Amino acid sequence: TGRARGGLPHGLRAPRISIEPGRAIAGPSTFTLYTAGTTKTVQADVDGASHPRRYVSVDGGMSDNARPVLYDADYSAVVASRTSAAEPVLSRVVGKHCESGDIVVRSVYLPGDTTHGDLLAVPGTGAYCWSLASNYNYLTRPPVVAVKDGEARIIVRGETEEDLLSRDVLRKTGNDRATLEAGA
């Protein structure tokens, strides 16, 4: 058997293996932390039968994680602020943007006592969520926090309302036609 360049038999070339560091390293090692808002339980059709499904709203959504609505990305979630012995309930974690596609986690079993103020951790959100984040509905983007050995450190500060408003031309200059025409 002849060996091709790369040392493989049968004339085969050695495969080129590559990874995308953002997805391979940052993606699985990070999570997004949300605060639960209102919850409600509705009857949902699951596999042809009616079952209760709890909706848990959070203080973020498609502005800080566009992947579920853009790519149908599938995430999980856990209550991170406390332990619970409550029975798990089929839940859907939804954002605050009043859009039908603003779903953070389509289906996950969360404790039945998940309530307003609970912290929900959504793992695996680190590869692209921050870089895809937007000011949709004029919301500020959250900070990025690194944690090592129990110590937290902000590595990208969250935006403030002042950050959003700082680019508004009319806020700075009034209704100045020359300023508007100049695009300043």
Side-chain angles (χ1 to χ4, degrees):
T1 63
R3 293 199 178 264
R5 197 173 93 214
L8 295 178
H10 308 294
L12 298 175
R13 300 188 74 165
R16 179 176 173 205
I17 299 174
S18 61
I19 62 166
E20 186 175 351
R23 184 170 289 183
I25 298 168
S29 67
T30 61
F31 62 91
T32 301
L33 194 61
Y34 295 104
T35 301
T38 56
T39 62
K40 71 177 182 178
T41 302
V42 299
Q43 289 301 115
D45 182 39
V46 179
D47 298 327
S50 182
H51 295 280
R53 173 187 290 142
R54 181 167 236 206
Y55 280 77
V56 179
S57 69
V58 293
D59 61 344
M62 59 194 284
S63 60
D64 59 75
N65 186 352
R67 294 191 72 241
V69 70
L70 291 177
Y71 315 124
D72 203 25
D74 189 23
Y75 291 104
S76 64
V78 297
V79 174
S81 54
R82 63 184 176 87
T83 59
S84 174
E87 288 292 318
V89 174
L90 180 62
S91 301
R92 178 166 286 173
V93 180
V94 296
K96 65 184 208 175
H97 295 286
C98 295
E99 300 285 351
S100 61
D102 191 14
I103 298 170
V104 178
V105 181
R106 190 163 305 283
S107 294
V108 63
Y109 283 90
L110 292 173
D113 62 354
T114 301
T115 190
H116 175 22
D118 281 341
L119 297 181
L120 298 182
V122 177
T125 57
Y128 301 109
C129 288
W130 186 83
S131 62
L132 285 172
S134 72
N135 296 120
Y136 186 79
N137 281 356
Y138 228 54
L139 292 178
T140 58
R141 288 176 279 216
V144 177
V145 179
V147 178
K148 181 179 180 183
D149 299 327
E151 296 291 323
R153 180 172 59 106
I154 293 176
I155 58 175
V156 177
R157 77 168 172 82
E159 288 178 316
T160 64
E161 192 173 294
E162 182 61 31
D163 291 330
L164 290 179
L165 297 176
S166 69
R167 298 181 308 175
D168 287 358
V169 173
L170 292 179
R171 180 174 169 264
K172 292 179 183 177
T173 64
N175 192 4
D176 183 330
R177 185 175 180 96
T179 301
L180 292 173
E181 289 173 356

